[in-house]
């Protein structure tokens, strides 16, 4: 078996724990001795063992000695919440390390590889690098920008409507597509809607998957703190709810809302809710991935802030019509074609009766 064979397994291990390890990256590791897999593991949760530790623990020290370790991310070389993996590989007398992604964390970048080489371990990098980098697009983005990686989720009819002109929207996409959305809620640290969607749908924004899943922190952009006090987000206590407002939300309403369990009011320093400021605030609060579920006004503000890193679009084979029916992106939008946002399609699939398109900004 070649290096790709074993690295594919490590990548598969890492891909299956997406959403669990935040704010850490997902990492998979496989220990191979004389062409036989003797141990494997993934990093399961921030603060717990790294992938290499789990894999070497399964292999045992005897089999690890003289082995080749395949790992999707450069072994760490610093003391974070856990001791350095590069030291562990050296102590365990590993013969060779095959690495997919180099760690962009300034604390680690290249130091882990250097440490291994100077201890006489043969290190090869770049095997399945593209694929492994995609696994950690959120982590790499956050390490670089200290702001969350933003995924915009939209759902519309064939003619681009998100509701009828009378505001009805149940349902445009089918059960399968609506369920598919929940896997993304599980994987994200936070989910964001505008106050308009709260008024229109009284959403719960929780993760409702058959096998359970993590609820993201629910964020509402609500400049004047108009949120209805009896809405699900403030009363269901299913997950934390943070409301981001302009600088002077009404004092008595703020006191009332702030007093609710699991609810925080976060006023910005400016009158208007500026997306750049929202992202920096969320980054400071440790949000590494943000799932934006609209509505049209919020979507446009993210578009204009050039803050969209990925778009998940569900299209239902339905025609709604109506020049006043709402569409995916509202506001003024761009007047000049030269300004519009261009993307490239990364995935195209069917989900039940609907189409699903995953696209990313054109490089
Ligand atoms: N109307 C449709 C959608 N509507 C999505 C809404 O904007 C909002 O995200 C939901 O109301 C969230 O509600 P909850 O959290 O599940 O209680 N989204 C979809 O994917 N398909 C549709 O047909
Ligand atoms: N999860 C992971 C790594 N994560 C690296 O270590 C940092 C977190 O360290 P700590 O706070 O100790 O968990 C994280 O920012 C990233 O640079 N490294 C690895 O060798 N293997 C792993 O499985
Ligand atoms: Zn480590």
């Amino acid at each position: 078996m070649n290096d790709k064979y074993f690295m594919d397994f490590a990548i598969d291990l890492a891909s299956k724990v997406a959403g669990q390890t935040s704010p850490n990256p997902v990492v998979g590791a496989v220990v191979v001795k004389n062409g036989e897999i003797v141990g494997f593991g993934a990093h399961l949760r921030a603060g717990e063992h790294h992938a290499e530790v789990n894999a070497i623990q399964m292999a045992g020290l005897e089999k690890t000695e003289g082995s080749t370790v395949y790992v999707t991310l450069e072994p760490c070389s610093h003391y974070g919440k856990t001791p350095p993996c590069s030291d562990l590989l050296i102590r365990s007398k590993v013969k060779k390390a095959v690495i997919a992604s180099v760690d962009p964390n300034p604390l680690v970048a290249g130091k882990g590889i250097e440490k291994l080489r100077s201890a006489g371990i043969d290190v090869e990098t770049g095997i399945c690098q593209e694929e492994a980098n995609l696994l950690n697009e959120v982590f790499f983005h956050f390490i670089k920008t200290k702001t969350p990686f933003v995924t915009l989720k939209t759902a519309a009819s064939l003619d681009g409507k998100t509701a009828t002109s009378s505001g009805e929207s149940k349902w445009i996409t089918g059960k399968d597509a609506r369920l598919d959305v929940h896997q993304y809620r599980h994987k994200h640290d936070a989910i964001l809607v505008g106050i308009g969607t709260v008024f229109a749908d009284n959403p719960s924004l929780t993760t409702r998957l058959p096998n359970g899943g993590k609820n993201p922190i629910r964020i509402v952009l609500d400049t004047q703190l108009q949120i209805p006090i009896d809405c699900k987000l403030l009363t269901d206590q299913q997950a934390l709810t943070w409301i981001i407002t302009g600088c002077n939300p009404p004092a008595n309403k703020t006191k009332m809302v702030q007093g609710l369990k699991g609810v925080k009011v976060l006023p910005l320093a400016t009158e208007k809710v500026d997306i750049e400021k929202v992202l920096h605030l969320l980054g400071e609060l440790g949000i590494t991935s943000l799932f934006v579920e609209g509505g049209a006004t919020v979507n446009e503000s993210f578009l204009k802030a050039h803050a969209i890193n990925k778009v998940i679009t569900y299209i239902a084979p339905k025609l709604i019509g109506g020049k006043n029916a709402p569409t995916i992106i509202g506001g003024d939008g761009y007047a000049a074609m030269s300004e519009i946002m261009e993307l490239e399609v990364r995935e195209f699939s069917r989900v039940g009766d609907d189409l699903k398109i995953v696209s990313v900004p054109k490089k």
Side-chain angles (χ1 to χ4, degrees), residues 56-298:
I56 288 174
Q57 222 156 39
M58 182 193 285
L61 290 182
E62 195 201 327
K63 288 189 181 161
T64 304
E65 188 168 343
S67 70
T68 298
V69 176
Y70 292 82
V71 55
T72 57
L73 179 70
E74 172 182 3
C76 66
S77 58
H78 72 292
Y79 279 82
K81 295 188 219 71
T82 60
C85 293
S86 40
D87 296 356
L88 173 69
L89 266 66
I90 293 165
R91 256 194 341 269
S92 318
K93 301 192 182 69
V94 162
K95 181 166 62 70
K96 179 175 180 185
V98 180
I99 294 165
S101 308
V102 175
D103 194 322
N105 182 344
L107 276 174
V108 181
K111 295 196 190 82
I113 292 171
E114 212 179 284
K115 231 174 173 183
L116 295 174
R117 284 197 170 125
S118 54
I121 295 180
D122 175 16
V123 179
E124 209 173 315
T125 62
I127 305 284
C128 309
Q129 186 168 8
E130 280 309 301
E131 216 181 330
N133 287 350
L134 280 185
L135 286 175
N136 282 313
E137 60 186 357
V138 166
F139 174 73
F140 291 167
H141 172 93
F142 185 72
I143 283 283
K144 269 196 272 285
T145 67
K146 288 287 174 257
T147 59
F149 181 97
V150 174
T151 296
L152 175 65
K153 172 260 168 182
T154 64
S157 59
L158 269 186
D159 56 331
K161 311 294 185 188
T162 56
T164 67
S165 49
S166 71
E168 284 184 34
S169 66
K170 306 227 181 317
W171 287 96
I172 295 177
T173 55
K175 237 177 7 4
D176 299 309
R178 294 203 310 273
L179 184 65
D180 194 63
V181 175
H182 286 255
Q183 63 164 315
Y184 294 102
R185 292 185 176 183
H186 162 71
K187 288 177 185 172
H188 279 77
D189 293 343
I191 184 169
L192 184 148
V193 293
I195 182 63
T197 292
V198 178
F199 283 134
D201 300 334
N202 188 19
S204 59
L205 301 181
T206 51
T207 301
R208 303 183 298 273
L209 287 170
N211 303 337
K214 187 173 53 62
N215 285 330
I217 293 174
R218 306 173 298 185
I219 296 169
V220 182
L221 298 189
D222 183 4
T223 311
Q224 322 284 342
L225 192 59
Q226 296 171 299
I227 189 163
I229 197 76
D230 59 348
C231 75
K232 284 184 197 164
L233 294 179
L234 295 184
T235 57
D236 72 2
Q237 294 187 15
Q238 296 286 307
L240 296 179
T241 298
W242 296 351
I243 304 156
I244 298 180
T245 73
C247 50
N248 291 312
N252 46 11
K253 173 105 182 247
T254 302
K255 224 170 47 251
M256 196 189 341
V257 172
Q258 186 78 42
L260 298 171
K261 194 166 171 321
V263 179
K264 260 191 195 155
V265 177
L266 300 168
L268 292 178
T270 48
E271 273 293 302
K272 271 171 49 51
V273 167
D274 169 279
I275 297 303
E276 285 283 303
K277 292 191 175 52
V278 167
L279 294 178
H280 279 98
L281 171 64
L282 294 179
E284 280 159 20
L285 294 169
I287 303 293
T288 66
S289 59
L290 182 64
F291 195 54
V292 177
E293 280 215 23
T297 313
V298 161

